[in-house]
């Protein structure tokens, strides 16, 4: 091998090593799948919650019904979902039921139901409360005390005997019943992209005076996926020449002292 060829191959190998090292430092090279975290996607349109009059035992839909968020541009399937309910205000939060439905139209989870207590004069109702639902939260939502801003596990409390809608029924086009899931992990493995739907109802009659309402000032969904690798070492290294020293050296004579 000539001196010029040796220097050329050596320079190529040094460049390749530097490219690998730089990629590892900058996070360019992905040797396998890893978590892909998108920015939270939000719908800031307020959700108005009408409350049934005291004389009517019925379920009332919030408007809009559903409130939707279109997720696009994520790669891979879901590994984690968190949901934020922004600016929750309601005089009787126990009557508020919130259901999240995946883009497939059938996978769903009751995010919160029958929580927060009746909030009498000694326990003022939530007003502008920001609630995040996260499986990894430390505690459940409070079931009989004031709802406060924070991060909580999805919570459904069906222990109150006076509840009119003990089965947490939702009106069409929502699935009629929430289903057995109790954690946001029910969405794991599903495609992340598509239309996520939030259904909100008030399922118990309110006080006798008219024109009281609850409201959510929009909501957000935060999805993590396991994405396929977009770059590998083979795609970042320069092409190499399939020439080795053994193919460029002249043949040698197999002579030893013992044969002479």
């Amino acid at each position: 091998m000539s001196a010029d060829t040796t220097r050329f191959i050596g320079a190529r190998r040094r460049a390749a090593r530097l490219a690998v090292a730089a990629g590892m430092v900058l996070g360019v090279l992905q040797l396998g799948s890893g978590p892909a975290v998108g920015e939270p996607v939000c719908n800031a349109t307020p959700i108005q919650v009408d409350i049934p009059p005291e004389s009517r035992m019925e379920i009332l839909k919030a408007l809009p019904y559903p409130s939707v968020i279109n997720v696009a541009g994520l790669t891979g399937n879901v590994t984690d979902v968190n949901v934020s309910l922004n600016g929750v205000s309601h005089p009787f939060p126990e009557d508020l039921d919130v259901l999240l439905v995946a883009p497939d139209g059938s996978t769903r989870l009751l995010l919160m139901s029958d929580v927060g207590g009746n909030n009498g004069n000694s326990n003022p109702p939530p007003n502008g409360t920001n609630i995040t639902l996260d499986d990894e939260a430390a505690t459940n939502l409070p079931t009989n005390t004031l709802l406060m801003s924070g991060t909580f596990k999805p919570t459904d409390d069906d222990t109150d005997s006076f509840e009119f809608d003990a089965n947490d029924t939702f009106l069409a086009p929502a699935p009629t019943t929430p289903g057995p899931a109790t954690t946001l992990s029910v969405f794991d493995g599903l495609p992340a992209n598509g239309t996520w739907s939030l259904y909100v109802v008030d399922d118990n009659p309110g006080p006798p005076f008219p024109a009281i309402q609850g409201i959510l000032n929009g909501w957000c969904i935060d999805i993590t996926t396991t994405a396929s690798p977009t770059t590998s070492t083979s795609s970042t290294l320069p092409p190499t020449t399939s020439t080795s020293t053994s193919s460029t050296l002249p043949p040698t004579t197999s002579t030893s002292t013992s044969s002479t």
Side-chain angles (χ1 to χ4, degrees):
M1 180 184 297
S2 67
D4 289 341
T5 302
T6 302
R7 284 194 296 272
F8 174 76
I9 293 175
R12 293 288 292 274
R13 288 174 177 168
R14 285 193 296 274
R17 287 194 294 270
L18 289 172
V20 173
M24 289 180 177
V25 171
L26 297 175
V28 173
L29 303 182
Q30 298 180 9
L31 301 182
S33 298
V37 182
E39 293 294 326
V41 187
C42 299
N43 182 342
T45 302
I47 303 171
Q48 178 179 303
V49 185
D50 287 332
I51 299 172
E54 188 176 37
S55 59
R56 288 161 48 189
M57 304 297 284
E58 63 180 320
I59 300 167
L60 288 185
K61 304 175 184 177
L63 295 174
Y65 186 86
S67 175
V68 301
I69 289 177
N70 294 308
V71 175
L74 291 181
T75 304
N77 292 335
V78 172
T79 59
D80 188 54
V81 172
N82 298 327
V83 176
S84 296
L85 307 177
N86 303 323
V88 178
S89 300
H90 196 286
F92 296 95
E94 272 194 342
D95 301 350
L96 196 62
D97 294 347
V98 182
L99 181 74
L100 178 66
V101 181
D104 65 5
S106 60
T107 307
R108 68 263 194 195
L109 176 68
L110 191 58
L111 295 175
M112 57 178 280
S113 175
D114 308 319
V115 298
N118 278 322
N119 295 320
N121 293 332
S122 61
N123 191 17
N127 185 11
T129 300
N130 297 315
I131 298 171
T132 297
L133 289 315
D134 182 349
D135 283 348
E136 284 68 52
T139 62
N140 289 321
L141 284 158
T143 56
N144 292 301
T145 57
L146 176 66
L147 283 181
M148 301 182 67
S149 295
T151 301
F152 306 91
K153 298 177 184 294
T155 308
D156 175 23
D157 176 33
D158 287 325
T159 60
D160 293 315
S161 59
F162 65 86
E163 290 294 323
F164 158 62
D165 181 35
N167 294 322
D168 300 317
T169 303
F170 283 79
L171 305 175
T176 54
T177 56
T182 57
T183 63
L184 286 155
S185 62
V186 68
F187 302 112
D188 288 0
L190 296 179
N193 296 323
T195 300
W196 293 78
S197 301
L198 193 77
Y199 293 91
V200 181
V201 299
D202 189 298
D203 66 353
N204 269 280
F209 49 86
I212 64 167
Q213 295 175 329
I215 195 168
L216 279 73
N217 286 321
W219 64 292
C220 301
I221 189 165
D222 192 356
I223 300 176
T224 303
T225 67
T226 296
S228 299
T230 56
T231 310
S232 68
T233 54
S234 60
S235 63
T236 58
L237 296 181
T240 58
T241 305
S242 60
T243 304
S244 66
T245 54
S246 61
S247 63
T248 57
L249 294 178
T252 58
T253 304
S254 172
T255 305
S256 67
T257 55
S258 61
S259 63
T260 58

